[in-house]
Amino acid sequence: MTTLPDRPNTALVVLDMQQGVVAEAHQRDAVVSNIAALVDRAREAGAPVVWVQHSDDRLEKGSGPWEYVPELRRREQEPVVHKSFSDAFDDTDLEQVLAAAAVGRLLVAGAQTDECIRSTIHGAFVRGYDVTLVSDAHTTEDLTEWGAPPPEQVIAHTNLYWNTMAGPAGRLRWQRQRTSRSAAEPGWLNRTDPVTCGPPAAPGVPACAGSWPVRPLP
């Protein structure tokens, strides 16, 4: 559970699903579709949806690549947090946005798995948030040319690795959503969905199966 006092609510945080970030991302269309389904369900449940948008020397604010992918549309009342570092909490107003909505639990989705996703979920965890990484709603690009594992292995290892993290705030979890579930179904995050790692992602990274209960959105 969260260690943040008087912060009972859950928010969906969508990271950096921008055209220049995910243009070459692994299973880009499937991940975008899964995130769109999460956004619909959060809205139906009345939960905050927080959009995070990155800019730096390589991703100029206001440019085409900086814009969010067209399949994901932010509503006017939904906050957007602008960042320039991997951790969405660093030098931004994300903490203030979440505090104003009494949020102590986060569902995290977006890109890129091995950079801003990893940095932000760790940043949230050490700040006392209860964090769930949605396992089929984050992605990264292929960096094997520079010695990185293939993107599917990066994603699988991230899901497996963060599932073991524990601390005073509780645990970091990874959760696969059921994309076929209706957004209008009551308590859509109040049930336990199956989580399956599948074949070993790499030598020494075992297959696994299990489930995590996910708390209902307010």
Side-chain angles (χ1 to χ4, degrees):
M1 59 182 294
T2 178
T3 60
L4 301 173
D6 303 318
R7 304 271 287 268
N9 295 333
T10 301
L12 172 63
V13 178
V14 182
L15 286 165
D16 301 353
M17 290 300 293
Q18 296 158 253
Q19 296 189 54
V21 175
V22 299
E24 303 296 330
H26 178 67
Q27 296 186 339
R28 181 256 188 216
D29 292 348
V31 171
V32 169
S33 178
N34 288 345
I35 293 174
L38 279 172
V39 170
D40 287 345
R41 293 170 187 172
R43 288 169 174 167
E44 184 69 24
V49 179
V50 180
W51 303 85
V52 178
Q53 197 164 11
H54 188 84
S55 62
D56 57 26
D57 292 342
R58 297 175 298 172
L59 193 63
E60 183 180 355
K61 190 173 183 179
S63 66
W66 173 82
E67 297 289 347
Y68 251 69
V69 297
E71 298 96 322
L72 299 175
R73 298 286 185 179
R74 182 179 70 90
R75 291 182 177 175
E76 184 176 356
Q77 69 272 24
E78 293 170 345
V80 57
V81 173
H82 295 284
K83 71 178 180 69
S84 298
F85 301 101
S86 296
D87 184 347
F89 287 92
D90 283 348
D91 198 28
T92 72
D93 61 350
L94 178 57
E95 169 58 28
Q96 289 80 5
V97 167
L98 297 173
V103 169
R105 300 190 300 268
L106 304 180
L107 294 175
V108 178
Q112 295 203 48
T113 299
D114 44 352
E115 190 168 353
C116 297
I117 290 288
R118 181 183 64 182
S119 297
T120 298
I121 61 178
H122 183 267
F125 186 63
V126 299
R127 287 172 172 85
Y129 288 88
D130 195 48
V131 185
T132 298
L133 174 62
V134 185
S135 69
D136 55 355
H138 64 97
T139 186
T140 191
E141 62 186 333
D142 188 341
L143 298 176
T144 53
E145 181 180 351
W146 291 273
E152 64 272 16
Q153 292 185 10
V154 172
I155 293 165
H157 183 259
T158 300
N159 289 335
L160 183 63
Y161 176 76
W162 287 108
N163 192 34
T164 66
M165 295 294 291
R171 297 185 67 92
L172 272 163
R173 305 171 175 86
W174 64 276
Q175 177 77 25
R176 174 173 294 141
Q177 66 164 323
R178 288 182 181 172
T179 55
S180 61
R181 183 176 300 166
S182 167
E185 182 178 346
W188 64 272
L189 283 179
N190 197 25
R191 294 166 54 187
T192 299
D193 286 350
V195 177
T196 304
C197 296
V205 180
C208 62
S211 60
W212 281 105
V214 179
R215 297 175 179 82
L217 294 171

PDB file of all heavy atoms in Angstrom, residues 83-102:
ATOM      1  N   LYS A  83       8.149  17.192 -19.453  1.00  0.00           N
ATOM      2  CA  LYS A  83       9.401  16.801 -18.813  1.00  0.00           C
ATOM      3  C   LYS A  83      10.559  16.864 -19.798  1.00  0.00           C
ATOM      4  O   LYS A  83      10.361  16.844 -21.024  1.00  0.00           O
ATOM      5  CB  LYS A  83       9.299  15.392 -18.223  1.00  0.00           C
ATOM      6  CG  LYS A  83       9.243  14.250 -19.229  1.00  0.00           C
ATOM      7  CD  LYS A  83       9.204  12.910 -18.498  1.00  0.00           C
ATOM      8  CE  LYS A  83       9.139  11.731 -19.467  1.00  0.00           C
ATOM      9  NZ  LYS A  83      10.377  11.551 -20.240  1.00  0.00           N
ATOM     10  N   SER A  84      11.774  16.906 -19.226  1.00  0.00           N
ATOM     11  CA  SER A  84      12.986  16.900 -20.040  1.00  0.00           C
ATOM     12  C   SER A  84      13.979  15.843 -19.577  1.00  0.00           C
ATOM     13  O   SER A  84      15.077  15.747 -20.132  1.00  0.00           O
ATOM     14  CB  SER A  84      13.662  18.281 -19.999  1.00  0.00           C
ATOM     15  OG  SER A  84      12.807  19.270 -20.535  1.00  0.00           O
ATOM     16  N   PHE A  85      13.601  15.075 -18.546  1.00  0.00           N
ATOM     17  CA  PHE A  85      14.456  14.019 -18.021  1.00  0.00           C
ATOM     18  C   PHE A  85      13.691  12.703 -18.030  1.00  0.00           C
ATOM     19  O   PHE A  85      12.471  12.684 -18.193  1.00  0.00           O
ATOM     20  CB  PHE A  85      14.927  14.360 -16.605  1.00  0.00           C
ATOM     21  CG  PHE A  85      15.699  15.646 -16.522  1.00  0.00           C
ATOM     22  CD1 PHE A  85      15.098  16.808 -16.072  1.00  0.00           C
ATOM     23  CD2 PHE A  85      17.026  15.698 -16.925  1.00  0.00           C
ATOM     24  CE1 PHE A  85      15.801  17.999 -16.006  1.00  0.00           C
ATOM     25  CE2 PHE A  85      17.744  16.882 -16.867  1.00  0.00           C
ATOM     26  CZ  PHE A  85      17.127  18.039 -16.412  1.00  0.00           C
ATOM     27  N   SER A  86      14.410  11.601 -17.829  1.00  0.00           N
ATOM     28  CA  SER A  86      13.775  10.286 -17.917  1.00  0.00           C
ATOM     29  C   SER A  86      12.711  10.083 -16.848  1.00  0.00           C
ATOM     30  O   SER A  86      11.642   9.529 -17.117  1.00  0.00           O
ATOM     31  CB  SER A  86      14.840   9.186 -17.814  1.00  0.00           C
ATOM     32  OG  SER A  86      15.725   9.246 -18.908  1.00  0.00           O
ATOM     33  N   ASP A  87      13.004  10.499 -15.619  1.00  0.00           N
ATOM     34  CA  ASP A  87      12.047  10.374 -14.522  1.00  0.00           C
ATOM     35  C   ASP A  87      11.041  11.512 -14.617  1.00  0.00           C
ATOM     36  O   ASP A  87      11.402  12.690 -14.528  1.00  0.00           O
ATOM     37  CB  ASP A  87      12.795  10.422 -13.188  1.00  0.00           C
ATOM     38  CG  ASP A  87      11.894  10.214 -11.980  1.00  0.00           C
ATOM     39  OD1 ASP A  87      10.656  10.267 -12.128  1.00  0.00           O
ATOM     40  OD2 ASP A  87      12.431  10.007 -10.878  1.00  0.00           O
ATOM     41  N   ALA A  88       9.770  11.174 -14.797  1.00  0.00           N
ATOM     42  CA  ALA A  88       8.743  12.194 -14.987  1.00  0.00           C
ATOM     43  C   ALA A  88       8.518  13.055 -13.751  1.00  0.00           C
ATOM     44  O   ALA A  88       7.830  14.084 -13.829  1.00  0.00           O
ATOM     45  CB  ALA A  88       7.430  11.535 -15.398  1.00  0.00           C
ATOM     46  N   PHE A  89       9.093  12.666 -12.610  1.00  0.00           N
ATOM     47  CA  PHE A  89       8.990  13.487 -11.406  1.00  0.00           C
ATOM     48  C   PHE A  89      10.078  14.562 -11.346  1.00  0.00           C
ATOM     49  O   PHE A  89       9.937  15.532 -10.602  1.00  0.00           O
ATOM     50  CB  PHE A  89       9.090  12.609 -10.153  1.00  0.00           C
ATOM     51  CG  PHE A  89       7.872  11.771  -9.896  1.00  0.00           C
ATOM     52  CD1 PHE A  89       7.787  10.486 -10.402  1.00  0.00           C
ATOM     53  CD2 PHE A  89       6.811  12.256  -9.144  1.00  0.00           C
ATOM     54  CE1 PHE A  89       6.664   9.695 -10.164  1.00  0.00           C
ATOM     55  CE2 PHE A  89       5.686  11.483  -8.905  1.00  0.00           C
ATOM     56  CZ  PHE A  89       5.608  10.199  -9.413  1.00  0.00           C
ATOM     57  N   ASP A  90      11.158  14.397 -12.099  1.00  0.00           N
ATOM     58  CA  ASP A  90      12.301  15.301 -12.003  1.00  0.00           C
ATOM     59  C   ASP A  90      12.013  16.634 -12.692  1.00  0.00           C
ATOM     60  O   ASP A  90      11.772  16.684 -13.906  1.00  0.00           O
ATOM     61  CB  ASP A  90      13.541  14.667 -12.644  1.00  0.00           C
ATOM     62  CG  ASP A  90      14.176  13.611 -11.765  1.00  0.00           C
ATOM     63  OD1 ASP A  90      13.801  13.521 -10.579  1.00  0.00           O
ATOM     64  OD2 ASP A  90      15.042  12.867 -12.268  1.00  0.00           O
ATOM     65  N   ASP A  91      12.040  17.711 -11.895  1.00  0.00           N
ATOM     66  CA  ASP A  91      11.892  19.069 -12.408  1.00  0.00           C
ATOM     67  C   ASP A  91      10.576  19.263 -13.162  1.00  0.00           C
ATOM     68  O   ASP A  91      10.517  19.950 -14.189  1.00  0.00           O
ATOM     69  CB  ASP A  91      13.080  19.418 -13.316  1.00  0.00           C
ATOM     70  CG  ASP A  91      13.228  20.920 -13.524  1.00  0.00           C
ATOM     71  OD1 ASP A  91      12.818  21.686 -12.628  1.00  0.00           O
ATOM     72  OD2 ASP A  91      13.738  21.328 -14.591  1.00  0.00           O
ATOM     73  N   THR A  92       9.501  18.623 -12.658  1.00  0.00           N
ATOM     74  CA  THR A  92       8.163  18.787 -13.231  1.00  0.00           C
ATOM     75  C   THR A  92       7.162  19.008 -12.098  1.00  0.00           C
ATOM     76  O   THR A  92       7.509  18.947 -10.918  1.00  0.00           O
ATOM     77  CB  THR A  92       7.720  17.545 -14.027  1.00  0.00           C
ATOM     78  OG1 THR A  92       7.434  16.469 -13.112  1.00  0.00           O
ATOM     79  CG2 THR A  92       8.778  17.101 -15.024  1.00  0.00           C
ATOM     80  N   ASP A  93       5.902  19.201 -12.478  1.00  0.00           N
ATOM     81  CA  ASP A  93       4.842  19.357 -11.483  1.00  0.00           C
ATOM     82  C   ASP A  93       4.024  18.078 -11.314  1.00  0.00           C
ATOM     83  O   ASP A  93       2.897  18.127 -10.808  1.00  0.00           O
ATOM     84  CB  ASP A  93       3.923  20.522 -11.854  1.00  0.00           C
ATOM     85  CG  ASP A  93       3.218  20.327 -13.196  1.00  0.00           C
ATOM     86  OD1 ASP A  93       3.572  19.385 -13.938  1.00  0.00           O
ATOM     87  OD2 ASP A  93       2.316  21.129 -13.510  1.00  0.00           O
ATOM     88  N   LEU A  94       4.584  16.921 -11.706  1.00  0.00           N
ATOM     89  CA  LEU A  94       3.824  15.677 -11.608  1.00  0.00           C
ATOM     90  C   LEU A  94       3.388  15.399 -10.173  1.00  0.00           C
ATOM     91  O   LEU A  94       2.237  15.015  -9.931  1.00  0.00           O
ATOM     92  CB  LEU A  94       4.646  14.505 -12.147  1.00  0.00           C
ATOM     93  CG  LEU A  94       3.981  13.121 -12.061  1.00  0.00           C
ATOM     94  CD1 LEU A  94       2.636  13.103 -12.777  1.00  0.00           C
ATOM     95  CD2 LEU A  94       4.909  12.045 -12.633  1.00  0.00           C
ATOM     96  N   GLU A  95       4.284  15.574  -9.215  1.00  0.00           N
ATOM     97  CA  GLU A  95       3.917  15.327  -7.819  1.00  0.00           C
ATOM     98  C   GLU A  95       2.771  16.234  -7.386  1.00  0.00           C
ATOM     99  O   GLU A  95       1.831  15.783  -6.714  1.00  0.00           O
ATOM    100  CB  GLU A  95       5.136  15.525  -6.918  1.00  0.00           C
ATOM    101  CG  GLU A  95       4.832  15.565  -5.426  1.00  0.00           C
ATOM    102  CD  GLU A  95       4.139  14.312  -4.910  1.00  0.00           C
ATOM    103  OE1 GLU A  95       4.324  13.218  -5.493  1.00  0.00           O
ATOM    104  OE2 GLU A  95       3.386  14.432  -3.925  1.00  0.00           O
ATOM    105  N   GLN A  96       2.800  17.485  -7.779  1.00  0.00           N
ATOM    106  CA  GLN A  96       1.733  18.412  -7.411  1.00  0.00           C
ATOM    107  C   GLN A  96       0.406  18.017  -8.056  1.00  0.00           C
ATOM    108  O   GLN A  96      -0.657  18.109  -7.432  1.00  0.00           O
ATOM    109  CB  GLN A  96       2.112  19.840  -7.811  1.00  0.00           C
ATOM    110  CG  GLN A  96       3.220  20.461  -6.979  1.00  0.00           C
ATOM    111  CD  GLN A  96       4.619  20.012  -7.394  1.00  0.00           C
ATOM    112  OE1 GLN A  96       4.774  19.287  -8.379  1.00  0.00           O
ATOM    113  NE2 GLN A  96       5.626  20.444  -6.651  1.00  0.00           N
ATOM    114  N   VAL A  97       0.470  17.578  -9.312  1.00  0.00           N
ATOM    115  CA  VAL A  97      -0.747  17.140 -10.011  1.00  0.00           C
ATOM    116  C   VAL A  97      -1.369  15.945  -9.298  1.00  0.00           C
ATOM    117  O   VAL A  97      -2.588  15.895  -9.072  1.00  0.00           O
ATOM    118  CB  VAL A  97      -0.411  16.791 -11.478  1.00  0.00           C
ATOM    119  CG1 VAL A  97      -1.566  16.048 -12.142  1.00  0.00           C
ATOM    120  CG2 VAL A  97      -0.076  18.053 -12.257  1.00  0.00           C
ATOM    121  N   LEU A  98      -0.546  14.979  -8.918  1.00  0.00           N
ATOM    122  CA  LEU A  98      -1.056  13.779  -8.256  1.00  0.00           C
ATOM    123  C   LEU A  98      -1.555  14.098  -6.848  1.00  0.00           C
ATOM    124  O   LEU A  98      -2.589  13.576  -6.414  1.00  0.00           O
ATOM    125  CB  LEU A  98       0.034  12.714  -8.212  1.00  0.00           C
ATOM    126  CG  LEU A  98       0.508  12.199  -9.578  1.00  0.00           C
ATOM    127  CD1 LEU A  98       1.704  11.270  -9.415  1.00  0.00           C
ATOM    128  CD2 LEU A  98      -0.617  11.493 -10.327  1.00  0.00           C
ATOM    129  N   ALA A  99      -0.839  14.945  -6.140  1.00  0.00           N
ATOM    130  CA  ALA A  99      -1.263  15.312  -4.785  1.00  0.00           C
ATOM    131  C   ALA A  99      -2.609  16.027  -4.812  1.00  0.00           C
ATOM    132  O   ALA A  99      -3.469  15.789  -3.950  1.00  0.00           O
ATOM    133  CB  ALA A  99      -0.204  16.190  -4.125  1.00  0.00           C
ATOM    134  N   ALA A 100      -2.817  16.895  -5.791  1.00  0.00           N
ATOM    135  CA  ALA A 100      -4.075  17.633  -5.885  1.00  0.00           C
ATOM    136  C   ALA A 100      -5.258  16.707  -6.110  1.00  0.00           C
ATOM    137  O   ALA A 100      -6.390  17.022  -5.711  1.00  0.00           O
ATOM    138  CB  ALA A 100      -3.990  18.663  -7.010  1.00  0.00           C
ATOM    139  N   ALA A 101      -5.010  15.555  -6.736  1.00  0.00           N
ATOM    140  CA  ALA A 101      -6.070  14.576  -6.982  1.00  0.00           C
ATOM    141  C   ALA A 101      -6.088  13.476  -5.928  1.00  0.00           C
ATOM    142  O   ALA A 101      -6.797  12.480  -6.091  1.00  0.00           O
ATOM    143  CB  ALA A 101      -5.893  13.962  -8.368  1.00  0.00           C
ATOM    144  N   ALA A 102      -5.316  13.644  -4.847  1.00  0.00           N
ATOM    145  CA  ALA A 102      -5.246  12.667  -3.754  1.00  0.00           C
ATOM    146  C   ALA A 102      -4.866  11.281  -4.260  1.00  0.00           C
ATOM    147  O   ALA A 102      -5.401  10.265  -3.821  1.00  0.00           O
ATOM    148  CB  ALA A 102      -6.560  12.615  -2.981  1.00  0.00           C
TER     149      ALA A 102
END
